[in-house]
Amino acid sequence: AYMIERMSAIEEADGSSLLDNTLFTYGSGLGDGSTHQYNDLPIIVAGKGGGGFRNGIHLNCDEGTPLANLWLTQAQVTGAEIEQFADSNGVIESLLV
């Protein structure tokens, strides 16, 4: 929270904040470490990635959605011209502005 607050307080030359121009991701690849299951992953994404990433929402993806879809979505929002990443099967449209 401290880092997100600090990034939000830093003003860029165009009047936006550093956080507006960043994607900050924090989480885990395991939803339950004791059983090593990888569903219901606790992941926080903050920032707008330059304006293309929606924030302020809670997202519960469909069962079986690859985590790589998040990485693909973030990569495309930040300008990477890729159509797939690892086992992704598409971007997460609800995260796009």
Side-chain angles (χ1 to χ4, degrees), residues 2 17 21 24 37 40 49 52-53 55 63 72 76 92 94:
Y2 172 79
S17 73
N21 296 302
F24 179 88
Q37 61 89 2
D40 303 323
F53 207 82
N55 58 17
E63 183 76 25
L72 175 65
Q76 287 185 0
I92 303 173
S94 58

Side-chain angles (χ1 to χ4, degrees), residues 5-78:
E5 287 174 5
R6 293 280 297 148
M7 292 172 76
S8 181
I10 296 172
E11 187 174 331
E12 300 274 40
D14 65 359
S16 64
S17 73
L18 177 59
L19 186 59
D20 289 335
N21 296 302
T22 301
L23 282 175
F24 179 88
T25 307
Y26 179 79
S28 174
L30 291 176
D32 181 353
S34 65
T35 61
H36 288 223
Q37 61 89 2
Y38 50 91
N39 297 322
D40 303 323
L41 302 178
I43 298 175
I44 296 171
V45 179
K48 296 180 182 177
F53 207 82
R54 177 169 293 150
N55 58 17
I57 62 172
H58 176 264
L59 183 64
N60 188 6
C61 292
D62 294 335
E63 183 76 25
T65 301
L67 177 57
N69 286 7
L70 175 62
W71 309 139
L72 175 65
T73 305
Q74 289 183 337
Q76 287 185 0
V77 163
T78 58

